[in-house]
Amino acid sequence: MARFTSQGVTVTITVKDHVASHATIVATFTPQKPGFHLYSADLPANGIQGVGRPIKVVPQGKLHGTGPLTADAKVLTLPLAGTDLTLPVYPDGPVTAELPVALDGDGAATLLVSYAACSSNDCLPPVTDHPIDLEVNASRITERA
């Protein structure tokens, strides 16, 4: 349905289980280079002591979340070299997350997508609130041109 690449990660958005006023937004975050991981959706919004950013998909407009964003990957605890910090991350590679949503009638909606990717040697700048504009109705959710 929608796809963009920014800061070393390709994000693909699809919809499943769309029935009348409910659906599930599926977001797949795929690092472009091997050895990169994404931060857990459970990480605080501003990271831990400013380090890291969680994967997030925030619906606005005619969509609203009806549950938490859940990922298909197990959360690992990564110690941050030279500090006493440990960060919740997903294993290196792609992560698929799902968000149950309710449709509030027909019209415009936006998904705000956020994430950050790092390797053991390099962190890429975070992406914050990248907008994906959608059109919503009872039979489909599509990307707005």
Side-chain angles (χ1 to χ4, degrees):
M1 178 174 82
R3 176 178 287 185
F4 71 92
T5 300
S6 183
Q7 301 302 344
V9 176
T10 296
V11 178
T12 304
I13 303 291
T14 58
V15 178
K16 75 174 195 178
D17 304 331
H18 185 181
V19 179
S21 64
H22 291 84
T24 301
I25 301 297
V26 180
T28 301
F29 300 82
T30 305
Q32 295 300 290
K33 294 181 181 177
F36 277 80
H37 60 264
L38 294 147
Y39 291 93
S40 167
D42 298 328
L43 187 71
N46 292 319
I48 296 175
Q49 294 184 15
V51 178
R53 293 295 182 270
I55 62 169
K56 288 188 346 182
V57 178
V58 178
Q60 296 185 327
K62 294 294 183 175
L63 292 176
H64 70 268
T66 59
L69 183 70
T70 58
D72 68 347
K74 181 180 176 184
V75 176
L76 307 173
T77 302
L78 180 69
L80 186 61
T83 73
D84 62 350
L85 297 179
T86 57
L87 302 169
V89 302
Y90 298 115
D92 292 355
V95 175
T96 298
E98 296 188 356
L99 179 70
V101 295
L103 290 63
D104 296 326
D106 296 349
T110 300
L111 298 176
L112 299 177
V113 179
S114 302
Y115 58 88
C118 288
S119 71
S120 58
N121 300 323
D122 190 21
C123 282
L124 302 173
V127 172
T128 303
D129 295 338
H130 179 95
I132 297 176
D133 294 323
L134 305 172
E135 191 64 32
V136 174
N137 68 43
S139 63
R140 69 180 186 271
I141 300 172
T142 56
E143 186 175 14
R144 260 189 293 155

